[in-house]
Amino acid sequence: MRLVLIVMLPFLGAHLPMLLARAGRRACAIATGLTTLTAFVLLLTHGPLVLAGEAVSYYQSWIPQLGMDLALRLDGLGFLMAGLILGIGLLIIIYAYFYLGSDEPIGVFFTYLLLFQGAMVGIALCDNILALLVFWEGTSLASFLLIGFWRHLPEARQGARMALVVTGGGGLALIAGMLLLGEIAGTYTISEMVGLSGLVQTSELLPLALLLVAVGCLTKSAQFPFHFWLPHAMAAPTPVSAYLHSATMVKAGVFLLARMWPILSDNPWWFYLLTTTGVVTFILGAVVALFKDDLKAMLAYSTISHLGLITMLLGLGTVAGLVAALLHLMNHAVFKGALFLTVGIIDHETGTRDIKRLGGLWWWLPVTGTVALMAVAANAGLPPFGGFISKEMMLEEVGHITWFGYPRLLAGLATLAGLFSFAYSLRFFIKVFLGRTPEGMVRPHGPSWGLAIPGLFLAMMALGFGLYVEQLASPIIRAAFWGALGRETAVDIHLKLWHGVNTPLLLSGFAFLAGGGLLITHRGWERLFALFSWLDFKAAFDWSVSWTEELCKRVVSLVQSGSLSRYLVWMLVATLLLGGNAFFTSEFQWGTREPLPINGMVIVLSVLMLFTCWFTIANCGNRLLSLIAANVVGLIAAIGFIYFSAPDLALTQISVEVVTLILVLLALYFLPKETVVEGTTLKRGRDIVLAVLAGLAMFGLTWAVLSSDGPKLLADYFIEQSKPAGGGSNVVNVILVDFRGFDTFNEIVVLAISALIIYALLDGAMHGPAAAKLDGWEHDMPRSPEKHPTMLISFTRVLLPLALMVGIYMFLRGHDRPGGGFIAGLVVTIAIITQYMVSGFQWAADRISIDYHAWLGWGLLLAAGTGAAAIVLDYPFLTNAHKHFDLPYFGELDLSSALVFDLGVLMTVVGAVMLALANLSRLGRRAERAAAKAVEATTSEQHGD
Amino acid sequence: MELMVAFAVGIMTTTGVFLLLRKRTFPVILGLIMLTYAVNLFLFAMGRLAVDQPPVIQDQGNGYADPVPQALVLTAIVISFGTTAVIVTMALRAYLEANTDHVDLESSEVGGLPR
């Protein structure tokens, strides 16, 4: 359980800085720091067990169908990685608090940082590769947010985007590779996969899987040719660069390679792919770093170079190579972190990171200078720092390797890279801290303790890992080594600072001297390097991005032409083809159900329907006519419902018809009143053919069902249980409010949502261009001279209480006779809307003070509350409570909670429909006033004449 | 009798689809309303047809029609009012903003994704 907490704490804590943003910077930082500290302490409590070679596991089934489980496993390797993430994270939080300006949103920053931390710890501890992939992408996203933290800077946005595209794209390759590996091994659990490496090695798919996994890891760890995103990620605030882009996130790639090491490393593909990529990156990074004037860019290339070194070591496939890789992973995190923090201080205090505009800083910043000296020495691999040990181990190991048939080639290349590493490290220190102070450089103050301490601490660690390697580094590296192998081995590890004078030391010595020589002649080399400035990876990246964008645009404009009717035609054709295919390939036979006898009325109605349908189309030009005709079709359907024993449906259909008619009429007031015939004859012909085909299909489908007998599975149950279980005789209503109450609840939620959408759309029309159009409204149809006919007014006012009575009656009897909340709601709505229509909106609104928003809300609350009450009484949600009342003295009280639920339905329906209609007429009144004014103006003008 | 109902469903679908393929918002809305009628009647018919057998429990009833499709269609009618109302409002707002009730984008807008 503690294990889960380590992963989850950063995610949970990520909410705190956001919530505390108003409580001040300090509160944010303390909450973030405490979260990380707690996770770190929790991790350390596992320390003794893990360092002894044990692994702690936690398993929680997640999506077993996919083989995805939350399987956590803390072994030595995970411990090393999580320790770096949380430990350095703690220092970074302190540093960032002092580094970021007081006007910057530090709460947001810390939230991103914790999100990253959680995802990263997840990678370190995950034992299930599918779950690991989720965390993996999480780090890419968090890195995107952090690089783009200064979103006002274009280079920050570009850098963030580039990092996301490269690492996210690599993540996709990784997903594919991991899925392949999982398929091969038959398990997605890494610790199980380790035991199956023999099976994996013999698979034909292995090279493909390996390549995909490698692409994922190499993009993340910024290896050539994917390295270019890392220098651009330096647009992030320096604490982020120190944390994500040198100490932890870019290590995720090499970490995963170390995890895969026992499964995949015994393979020529692995060897050649990784050693080659590694050594090329190692050299390239070191060379470019020597010629970068921006300190952060220099450190970025230095990081790329060191990651190349680790990749190369992992690629060797030897045990000693693995140990050296793990040791260097730890060392590099420490000393490169210190270097970044130093550069951050320089930037913060002098306002520049340009090496040519800095110099002699030692005299102003002695503490920072000391930190820089220690870190730089470790970076260059000088004794007695930790970096020296891992570099010597590397040189020793590559000396034994034959690469592409050449026994000493790899060692030579590694020495060459080491030479450049010396040179750029020296250049950094000499140029920035010693030497002449250039003119115009700001004289820096000493940094505050919060900026100085984290770097100093890391530099001391770098020293400690060298001087006390046996005590400090060995236990961790030994455990990590066991963890990476997935088992304990007889091979023991002895890390020593001093191995005497041997080949690696001589190689280092040579590299040191030659590096010094290179630095002295730097000016000349710089000119040579400038000749290669046309090699611009960013330009190539930008070009490929814009090319892809152009391609996508073409494809989209082809498919997404912006023509609604074209989309519909495609959908129709596809549906018809699918349905037709199913029909013509099946052995379908018409049913033999006895048809009901035909009577005269039905024939008349059918003919009427045919006629009105034709009328609707034929009078398409006159919108008012076609609307009325369409409504007649609806009414005929309602008559059909009555005839075929569905009184509830008929009542609903009729009342909905009325409301829909009013709604569309209100809208039609604003729309053009006529439709011109458009489109070629060919297109009309196409539409007719499609429409007829669709009609035929629906006719056939309906006929096929109606002519056959089907099983009445649910009907009998509901009819039987309606009275005893639901307490009502109207089965339809009982189904609505009781048996399928949850469905009904969802339906009224949908209704409420659509009412709110309508409100938003119409309220928005009261501002902007739409409102301007309303204010300039002119009538496009002749107006009736009598606005509100007196006869009608008197009549409808008498009718109002009667109509409301009908509504209440419909509601109360709904459970036993046709009626219910939906129908009653519609009847009440119609009663109210009649007043609005006949007497004018203002008159009605002054007298009917109903807040329709409130009705909507209360209706939903009432319905939900009835359901929730059942939960409180320990019944399932929405259980009808009619039989649960058995009061003393009163006896069985025949009061159904379904009635309350139905009241909720009623209120929602009234609220929703009235909200829609009232807001439409609000628009109407505005236009009306404008039009009246216009008429007044013209008449007064005429009078003036 | 069943044939007549199937015929009605077919006719309403034909009308609905034809109107749906028009180029202006108003006929499209009418087509949608028509299609709603057709679909509701179709769903209702899935419970088979019955005359004089409303699903209301009576002492001397002569059988009951299938109540399940009826309950489904009842809410469907109300919901389709809700969605129709949304479409109508969208058409209205679009007309007020854009000054045209054409359902297609203009050719200059097609494929012109925001950069």
Side-chain angles (χ1 to χ4, degrees):
Chain A
M1 197 59 220
R2 269 183 299 168
L3 219 47
V4 187
L5 218 53
I6 298 174
V7 179
M8 291 319 291
L9 259 176
F11 286 118
L12 296 175
H15 297 85
L16 291 177
M18 280 293 226
L19 294 174
L20 290 173
R22 279 164 197 279
R25 290 164 46 82
R26 189 175 304 234
C28 286
I30 290 174
T32 315
L34 282 181
T35 306
T36 309
L37 184 67
T38 317
F40 191 46
V41 170
L42 278 175
L43 181 75
L44 291 184
T45 57
H46 290 293
L49 208 61
V50 172
L51 291 183
E54 303 278 321
V56 190
S57 334
Y58 171 86
Y59 177 86
Q60 168 73 49
S61 178
W62 190 353
I63 313 173
Q65 296 88 334
L66 293 179
M68 183 163 175
D69 303 302
L70 189 63
L72 300 179
R73 189 163 181 276
L74 178 63
D75 58 9
L77 185 57
F79 184 77
L80 166 65
M81 198 67 198
L84 286 176
I85 297 158
L86 294 169
I88 297 183
L90 211 51
L91 297 174
I92 294 295
I93 291 164
I94 299 171
Y95 186 88
Y97 171 68
F98 290 95
Y99 185 85
L100 289 179
S102 53
D103 51 343
E104 295 187 84
I106 205 164
V108 178
F109 180 82
F110 279 138
T111 295
Y112 293 166
L113 204 70
L114 282 177
L115 286 177
F116 164 75
Q117 204 175 63
M120 198 64 210
V121 174
I123 291 179
L125 300 190
C126 238
D127 198 22
N128 181 290
I129 45 181
L130 297 180
L132 187 143
L133 291 170
V134 176
F135 290 118
W136 183 276
E137 296 294 0
T139 59
S140 290
L141 288 176
S143 146
F144 170 77
L145 292 171
L146 282 167
I147 298 171
F149 178 68
W150 283 327
R151 62 186 80 163
H152 56 279
L153 301 177
E155 63 264 26
R157 297 196 300 267
Q158 285 164 11
R161 216 158 45 213
M162 189 191 278
L164 185 68
V165 169
V166 177
T167 58
L172 293 180
L174 184 68
I175 290 175
M178 285 301 197
L179 289 177
L180 270 180
L181 270 186
E183 278 304 301
I184 296 168
T187 173
Y188 289 110
T189 311
I190 298 173
S191 51
E192 284 176 19
M193 230 184 242
V194 170
L196 297 169
S197 69
L199 179 72
V200 175
Q201 295 289 353
T202 52
S203 167
E204 283 178 358
L205 287 171
L206 180 72
L208 182 61
L210 200 147
L211 187 71
L212 288 168
V213 170
V215 167
C217 294
L218 297 179
T219 47
K220 197 79 161 182
S221 283
Q223 296 295 291
F224 179 84
F226 309 113
H227 64 282
F228 56 90
W229 69 267
L230 191 60
H232 291 284
M234 293 298 142
T238 301
V240 173
S241 308
Y243 191 32
L244 273 73
H245 304 120
S246 85
T248 58
M249 190 188 90
V250 288
K251 297 282 188 342
V254 285
F255 168 79
L256 193 61
L257 287 177
R259 268 263 178 265
M260 291 289 124
W261 194 89
I263 306 168
L264 300 174
S265 67
D266 189 15
N267 187 301
W269 285 90
W270 170 279
F271 173 76
Y272 282 109
L273 191 63
L274 293 187
T275 46
T276 311
T277 314
V279 78
V280 169
T281 315
F282 186 18
I283 298 172
L284 180 96
V287 171
V288 177
L290 181 57
F291 299 104
K292 284 288 166 189
D293 287 337
D294 179 357
L295 291 179
K296 274 182 89 174
M298 185 205 86
L299 288 185
Y301 279 101
S302 162
T303 304
I304 290 171
S305 164
H306 280 276
L307 289 167
L309 163 68
I310 299 173
T311 307
M312 180 186 75
L313 281 171
L314 288 169
L316 298 181
T318 61
V319 169
L322 176 63
V323 174
L326 294 174
L327 183 62
H328 200 69
L329 189 151
M330 182 172 76
N331 280 332
H332 178 257
V334 172
F335 67 68
K336 192 53 62 68
L339 271 178
F340 264 107
L341 297 186
T342 306
V343 168
I345 291 173
I346 294 169
D347 191 10
H348 200 255
E349 303 303 327
T350 66
T352 181
R353 311 193 295 246
D354 189 344
I355 206 164
K356 298 224 158 105
R357 292 167 59 196
L358 292 164
L361 281 180
W362 181 275
W363 316 113
W364 286 284
L365 304 169
V367 179
T368 311
T370 315
V371 170
L373 182 61
M374 288 159 82
V376 129
N379 187 56
L382 294 178
F385 294 93
F388 171 70
I389 301 172
S390 41
K391 195 200 60 183
E392 296 298 291
M393 283 170 76
M394 179 271 290
L395 285 175
E396 169 73 31
E397 192 52 29
V398 292
H400 304 310
I401 298 293
T402 304
W403 188 57
F404 288 111
Y406 296 97
R408 272 178 289 277
L409 179 58
L410 203 56
L413 290 174
T415 311
L416 180 68
L419 185 157
F420 279 96
S421 298
F422 277 127
Y424 76 73
S425 302
L426 269 177
R427 174 166 182 255
F428 166 62
F429 187 75
I430 290 174
K431 285 272 187 181
V432 173
F433 285 97
L434 308 175
R436 225 165 29 81
T437 303
E439 276 181 38
M441 192 188 84
V442 179
R443 301 286 180 270
H445 308 283
S448 58
W449 67 268
L451 288 179
I453 294 287
L456 190 62
F457 187 83
L458 287 174
M460 297 304 283
M461 295 269 285
L463 183 62
F465 283 150
L467 283 179
Y468 304 104
V469 62
E470 188 59 39
Q471 293 87 342
L472 286 178
S474 278
I476 303 175
I477 296 303
R478 192 176 292 125
F481 171 60
W482 289 336
L485 281 186
R487 60 194 144 87
E488 285 189 48
T489 55
V491 185
D492 201 9
I493 298 167
H494 292 289
L495 300 178
K496 274 202 305 188
L497 179 62
W498 189 250
H499 287 267
V501 178
N502 53 12
T503 322
L505 192 70
L506 292 175
L507 286 176
S508 291
F510 166 73
F512 185 66
L513 291 177
L518 196 65
L519 197 56
I520 293 168
T521 53
H522 185 262
R523 217 165 270 261
W525 296 108
E526 210 167 27
R527 247 176 259 133
L528 184 65
F529 181 77
L531 293 181
F532 291 94
S533 59
W534 52 269
L535 258 174
D536 188 352
F537 281 85
K538 183 178 186 292
F541 173 82
D542 287 344
W543 179 81
S544 62
V545 167
S546 58
W547 188 82
T548 317
E549 195 185 329
E550 195 55 39
L551 183 75
C552 291
K553 239 188 223 167
R554 295 231 174 120
V555 174
V556 167
S557 64
L558 209 67
V559 191
Q560 196 110 12
S561 61
S563 164
L564 178 70
S565 28
R566 190 175 297 179
Y567 302 159
L568 286 174
V569 165
W570 278 115
M571 278 193 247
L572 270 170
V573 169
T575 316
L576 283 170
L577 283 178
L578 283 174
N581 180 48
F583 178 72
F584 288 111
T585 53
S586 71
E587 294 160 12
F588 172 77
Q589 281 178 335
W590 296 105
T592 51
R593 185 185 156 101
E594 187 74 21
L596 293 171
I598 294 182
N599 62 24
M601 190 196 77
V602 175
I603 295 177
V604 170
L605 280 178
S606 298
V607 172
L608 193 60
M609 173 168 285
L610 182 64
F611 174 74
T612 38
C613 279
W614 170 79
F615 192 86
T616 313
I617 294 179
N619 286 291
C620 209
N622 188 334
R623 293 185 169 185
L624 205 57
L625 272 183
S626 57
L627 173 64
I628 306 282
N631 243 260
V632 173
V633 176
L635 290 176
I636 296 175
I639 296 175
F641 288 141
I642 299 180
Y643 186 74
F644 295 117
S645 319
D648 284 277
L649 287 193
L651 283 171
T652 317
Q653 176 81 38
I654 291 171
S655 29
V656 162
E657 276 319 303
V658 176
V659 184
T660 311
L661 185 64
I662 296 171
L663 176 99
V664 183
L665 277 176
L666 278 174
L668 189 57
Y669 173 79
F670 298 100
L671 294 172
K673 310 294 176 287
E674 266 151 34
T675 310
V676 279
V677 178
E678 278 171 307
T680 55
T681 331
L682 193 69
K683 275 199 175 154
R684 282 178 76 83
R686 174 200 71 180
D687 294 350
I688 291 171
V689 170
L690 276 175
V692 170
L693 281 176
L696 267 178
M698 283 302 283
F699 165 77
L701 198 57
T702 318
W703 173 238
V705 174
L706 288 181
S707 67
S708 63
D709 272 311
K712 263 193 178 183
L713 295 174
L714 295 169
D716 292 335
Y717 170 80
F718 284 131
I719 291 166
E720 271 164 34
Q721 294 296 318
S722 174
K723 205 125 190 167
S729 350
N730 182 3
V731 189
V732 174
N733 184 266
V734 173
I735 292 177
L736 285 179
V737 298
D738 191 346
F739 291 128
R740 307 294 306 166
F742 194 55
D743 290 352
T744 310
F745 179 65
N746 285 330
E747 311 251 14
I748 56 173
V749 170
V750 173
L751 194 66
I753 291 172
S754 51
L756 290 178
I757 295 174
I758 293 167
Y759 173 72
L761 279 170
L762 293 178
D763 196 56
M766 299 298 271
H767 320 280
K773 182 154 183 182
L774 289 179
D775 289 336
W777 198 260
E778 282 175 40
H779 295 306
D780 53 357
M781 280 181 95
R783 313 290 294 166
S784 155
E786 196 182 4
K787 254 184 160 178
H788 304 297
T790 324
M791 290 268 285
L792 207 55
I793 290 178
S794 332
F795 179 63
T796 48
R797 284 195 196 152
V798 178
L799 210 60
L800 177 67
L802 290 176
L804 287 178
M805 281 299 292
V806 171
I808 295 167
Y809 174 65
M810 283 287 182
F811 171 69
L812 286 177
R813 72 175 213 155
H815 215 44
D816 290 318
R817 301 271 145 239
F822 279 115
I823 297 163
L826 288 165
V827 171
V828 169
T829 311
I830 293 168
I832 300 173
I833 207 75
T834 318
Q835 300 305 312
Y836 279 89
M837 276 166 49
V838 173
S839 307
F841 187 92
Q842 202 56 53
W843 186 91
D846 290 345
R847 286 158 184 79
I848 308 172
S849 53
I850 295 177
D851 182 356
Y852 299 116
H853 285 280
W855 272 55
L856 208 59
W858 280 114
L860 287 178
L861 274 180
L862 216 55
T866 325
I871 295 185
V872 174
L873 297 171
D874 231 13
Y875 289 97
F877 184 62
L878 280 171
T879 306
N880 192 349
H882 82 282
K883 56 185 171 187
H884 306 303
F885 279 105
D886 195 10
L887 303 172
Y889 308 114
F890 285 95
E892 192 106 10
L893 196 66
D894 196 21
L895 202 87
S896 175
S897 73
L899 200 68
V900 185
F901 180 80
D902 222 10
L903 184 63
V905 173
L906 183 148
M907 290 182 73
T908 314
V909 170
V910 175
V913 180
M914 283 308 299
L915 196 63
L917 295 178
N919 277 290
L920 255 176
S921 57
R922 195 154 69 109
L923 241 60
R925 269 181 305 146
R926 185 155 176 175
E928 190 80 19
R929 267 202 301 275
K933 236 178 248 166
V935 171
E936 219 168 83
T938 43
T939 37
S940 64
E941 225 168 72
Q942 280 162 0
H943 282 287
D945 292 341
Chain B
M1 187 71 84
E2 276 81 356
L3 211 56
M4 289 295 167
V5 172
F7 173 72
V9 171
I11 285 293
M12 290 193 285
T13 309
T14 306
T15 318
V17 168
F18 181 78
L19 289 173
L20 213 54
L21 291 172
R22 298 302 92 211
K23 291 281 180 190
R24 301 282 165 168
T25 50
F26 195 80
V28 171
I29 292 167
L30 281 191
L32 212 58
I33 293 176
M34 276 291 187
L35 217 52
T36 309
Y37 296 150
V39 171
N40 284 343
L41 191 58
F42 172 74
L43 284 179
F44 168 72
M46 291 303 100
R48 309 300 187 279
L49 303 180
V51 179
D52 264 346
Q53 299 175 341
V56 177
I57 310 287
Q58 283 160 333
D59 293 335
Q60 63 276 22
N62 54 346
Y64 303 105
D66 192 340
V68 182
Q70 293 198 16
L72 280 176
V73 171
L74 197 151
T75 46
I77 294 173
V78 181
I79 290 286
S80 45
F81 165 73
T83 45
T84 307
V86 171
I87 302 283
V88 168
T89 321
M90 275 166 66
L92 171 59
R93 176 81 188 270
Y95 179 68
L96 289 179
E97 299 276 343
N99 229 349
T100 170
D101 62 345
H102 210 286
V103 290
D104 294 347
L105 287 177
E106 280 171 30
S107 58
S108 64
E109 293 165 312
V110 175
L113 300 174
R115 267 190 175 268

